Amino acid sequence: QVRVVESGGGSVQAGGSLRLSCAASGFTYSNAYIAWFRQAPGKEREGVAGIDASGVNTYYAASVKGRFTISRDNAKNTAYLQMNSLSPEDTAMYYCAAGRRFPYNSNWHLVALYDYWGQGTQVTVSS
């Protein structure tokens, strides 16, 4: 049974940091690309950051580049999203997603690439 579980969300003040974790099981994690998405109320789900199966190539949305860092530990079947310099605009539900079926490159932000999704973890940034 596939499981994708996010953790690490919470409430912080603007300028603060959070580290999200994504623990996965039930599939060959080391063959999967991983991404973090977020969705704010009334808005579409958007890709925040992605990382390929090897961990060598990473991708970021323009709005978070330089502030967020995605990483993974294949030995632990876990991915991370380090978020620094948070602003109220970062407030959203954050989701971890994994997939294996497609080439992974500049298309990383497409929801359709991912087969497995977590339930999300809430991040709230106050001004």
Side-chain angles (χ1 to χ4, degrees):
Q1 183 180 0
V2 172
R3 292 194 69 202
V4 177
V5 180
E6 303 95 338
S7 61
S11 297
V12 295
Q13 290 190 328
S17 299
L18 282 173
R19 188 194 195 204
L20 306 184
S21 297
C22 170
S25 61
F27 60 95
T28 306
Y29 183 82
S30 59
N31 290 345
Y33 43 79
I34 304 292
W36 289 93
F37 287 77
R38 67 186 181 187
Q39 188 166 19
K43 294 188 176 182
E44 291 187 357
R45 191 169 296 193
E46 63 171 350
V48 174
I51 187 167
D52 66 5
S54 68
V56 171
N57 296 301
T58 56
Y59 307 90
Y60 295 94
S63 59
V64 307
K65 200 167 187 178
R67 300 188 298 123
F68 291 11
T69 302
I70 188 171
S71 62
R72 64 189 294 162
D73 184 340
N74 285 350
K76 296 182 178 180
N77 283 16
T78 302
Y80 306 95
L81 185 68
Q82 178 67 44
M83 305 186 296
N84 298 329
S85 302
L86 285 162
S87 72
E89 289 71 32
D90 296 314
T91 295
M93 185 71 79
Y94 282 70
Y95 298 91
C96 180
R100 297 174 295 171
R101 294 184 290 138
F102 302 101
Y104 198 63
N105 41 52
S106 59
N107 62 354
W108 69 273
H109 61 284
L110 298 178
V111 170
L113 263 61
Y114 301 90
D115 299 310
Y116 312 123
W117 291 82
Q119 294 299 307
T121 185
Q122 178 68 37
V123 172
T124 303
V125 185
S126 58
S127 57

